[in-house]
Amino acid sequence: MGLFSLFKKNKADDDAADTEAGAEDDAGARLAAHSELERQRVQQELQRDIARATAMKIDAIEAAMAADIFDDEDMPWASRPARAPRTAALDGNTLPLLEAGTTELLGELDTPAEAAAAETAPVVEEVALLYANGQAELAAELLAAAARDQRDRTVWWMLFDLYQILGRQEAFDSLSIDYASTFETSPPPWNPPAAPDNAVPPPAGVVPTVALHGMLDAGCAAQLARLSPAPAGPAGSLRLDCSRVRGVTPEGCALLLAALRAVQAAQRELTVAGAAELARQVGAILAIGRRDEGEAPWLLRLELLRLQNREKDFEESSMDYCVTFEVSPPPFTPPQRVALAPGQPLAAAAADRFVLPYVLEGDASAVIEAMLVYAEQYPALVFDCARLARIDYGAAQQLLGALQGLGERRIEFRDLNHLAAALLRLLGAGASVRLFPHRY
């Protein structure tokens, strides 16, 4: 027994010794690891201190260099006492306030509404002449080349207009992508001018304007009566201006829908201004699955989208209408004998306008004769160019010559495409006639 007890005691002692040795090894390993982490932390702090010191040294050197350069009295930009204001009289060729800041003269984001001279005048003028003489393809090539090399928006706007007139939507869409990337703004929508019906071309002449304003409700019945099927103006042409509508009701939507359908059924020429904004306002009172407003606002929105030739938006709204009323929506048919114009500012004349034809070329005596009759009836002359795709050089000269003979009158060309505006500006129209191209 004693012998075995001795062996047990020795075994226990050995185990205790091994445990103590293992603990010492673990402690040593932890100490080594801690020392390594501490060394890495110290090294990182040292590197940060070195980096801060280097940055401070670079800043000091740059500051010293800048001080040496801009404090040098021999340099042209050196600091010098402010000059006394000039007291000499200014002649007629001197611009006052030339030393004032640009924003003080123009105001921030102040873009003139009238046509302004392009930055790349030679290209713009050459293209305007080429297009006026019927060389549209060559004009498109020059504009495309110019748009790749410069940021003058006039060149881009002219090319947008030309692609729409030529019906080249793929080229228009490609240009839209480049425009958005270059100017960081939304490109214009595809809205080609309405080509005339070859069988019954719309003549030029005075077109009655129905200008809606305020709330589109039951009180608009008297105004919408002017859209009745009875011919009024050349070939029954009409102009509907929705720019000043500020809200809609289901009753007003029903009245306008009936009037638009009557105009379309009578195959009358119709120009609509502010259709996009009105469609947005009608859509604002609608909700999928809610029938409280009735079908009229839904159908009016579809009709406005159709008149704008927005087939994709029409189909999407048709599905919403189908889900709401559980009936088949009306089919999409391309608009006929319809021209679109952007929403007009509040200052725009609301009187009846003289609509220019799709193309004005050659002998313009018939148009000028009708224009003079129009001038006898109205003190301010507003020419609607929403349909005008092209005017040639000779016709433009005849037109401007006749307008100059009217004396001191307020004369405006509205909704011009930028190609026609460039030609009229080239011929000196800006001196006596105000040019308002459509806005992009």
Side-chain angles (χ1 to χ4, degrees):
M1 294 295 293
L3 181 60
F4 291 111
S5 299
L6 180 60
F7 287 150
K8 285 184 178 180
K9 183 177 181 181
N10 291 341
K11 177 62 176 178
D13 293 342
D14 291 342
D15 292 341
D18 292 342
T19 301
E20 184 178 355
E24 291 177 355
D25 292 341
D26 291 342
R30 287 195 297 270
L31 180 61
H34 179 73
S35 299
E36 178 65 20
L37 291 175
E38 183 67 17
R39 185 186 65 80
Q40 292 178 0
R41 187 187 64 79
V42 172
Q43 187 174 3
Q44 290 175 355
E45 289 294 335
L46 180 60
Q47 290 176 349
R48 293 193 187 98
D49 293 340
I50 295 174
R52 294 192 192 98
T54 303
M56 293 176 62
K57 187 178 294 184
I58 293 174
D59 292 342
I61 294 173
E62 290 179 348
M65 293 176 63
D68 291 341
I69 293 174
F70 291 100
D71 289 342
D72 191 349
E73 297 180 356
D74 295 331
M75 302 305 292
W77 53 73
S79 301
R80 51 175 59 92
R83 291 181 298 179
R86 297 175 58 184
T87 57
L90 298 176
D91 57 26
N93 298 324
T94 304
L95 291 176
L97 299 178
L98 190 60
E99 297 175 2
T102 303
T103 55
E104 295 176 7
L105 297 179
L106 299 180
E108 294 186 4
L109 303 179
D110 184 15
T111 303
E114 295 186 57
E119 298 175 7
T120 53
V123 174
V124 170
E125 293 175 357
E126 183 179 3
V127 168
L129 292 173
L130 287 172
Y131 179 67
N133 293 328
Q135 303 183 53
E137 293 297 337
L138 181 56
E141 293 179 5
L142 290 179
L143 286 174
R148 288 193 297 266
D149 299 334
Q150 52 199 306
R151 293 174 57 90
D152 183 3
R153 297 198 187 198
T154 303
V155 172
W156 293 73
W157 294 341
M158 293 175 71
L159 189 54
F160 277 127
D161 286 340
L162 188 51
Y163 281 158
Q164 292 182 94
I165 293 170
L166 297 176
R168 297 170 57 178
Q169 187 167 5
E170 291 185 1
F172 181 94
D173 293 340
S174 177
L175 183 66
S176 298
I177 297 174
D178 296 337
Y179 182 85
S181 175
T182 301
F183 298 103
E184 298 181 354
T185 187
S186 299
W190 171 261
N191 182 25
D197 186 351
N198 293 329
V200 186
V206 181
V207 173
T209 298
V210 178
L212 303 176
H213 55 83
M215 184 67 67
L216 178 61
D217 54 17
C220 297
Q223 292 175 289
L224 294 175
R226 297 187 66 186
L227 295 176
S228 62
S237 300
L238 285 172
R239 175 183 174 85
L240 175 63
D241 190 347
C242 309
S243 304
R244 303 186 184 185
V245 175
R246 294 295 175 261
V248 299
T249 65
E251 296 78 12
C253 291
L255 290 172
L256 180 56
L257 176 63
L260 290 175
R261 286 177 171 176
V263 171
Q264 295 289 296
Q267 298 184 349
R268 301 175 67 181
E269 295 290 333
L270 178 65
T271 300
V272 184
E277 175 61 18
L278 181 59
R280 186 195 66 78
Q281 293 187 42
V282 174
I285 69 170
L286 303 177
I288 300 175
R290 189 179 68 200
R291 303 184 182 183
D292 298 345
E293 295 79 10
E295 296 187 40
W298 289 88
L299 294 174
L300 177 60
R301 174 173 167 77
L302 290 175
E303 180 66 11
L304 292 172
L305 294 174
R306 189 189 70 82
L307 293 178
Q308 298 174 74
N309 203 25
R310 293 164 56 181
E311 184 174 2
K312 182 179 179 181
D313 294 334
F314 181 94
E315 298 297 340
E316 292 179 356
S317 187
S318 295
M319 293 300 297
D320 297 340
Y321 169 79
C322 179
V323 170
T324 300
F325 294 98
E326 300 179 355
V327 295
S328 299
F332 178 84
T333 57
Q336 300 294 329
R337 305 173 71 83
V338 174
L340 297 177
Q344 302 297 313
L346 295 180
D352 295 341
R353 300 184 177 195
F354 188 97
V355 175
L356 293 178
Y358 184 76
V359 176
L360 187 57
E361 57 185 351
D363 185 9
S365 57
V367 174
I368 292 176
E369 183 178 353
M371 181 190 69
L372 294 177
V373 174
Y374 169 63
E376 294 176 355
Q377 302 174 2
Y378 298 89
L381 308 183
V382 181
F383 293 92
D384 190 331
C385 305
R387 289 185 180 275
L388 181 65
R390 185 173 70 87
I391 179 172
D392 72 3
Y393 190 88
Q397 283 186 317
Q398 296 177 50
L399 184 64
L400 294 179
L403 292 176
Q404 290 176 356
L406 297 177
E408 296 294 331
R409 302 282 291 274
R410 180 181 177 88
I411 303 174
E412 298 179 357
F413 283 80
R414 288 195 171 269
D415 301 329
L416 276 164
N417 68 58
H418 292 270
L419 295 155
L423 177 66
L424 295 176
R425 191 189 309 114
L426 176 61
L427 295 176
S432 57
V433 178
R434 303 183 69 185
L435 305 178
F436 294 90
H438 53 225
R439 296 184 177 182
Y440 280 153

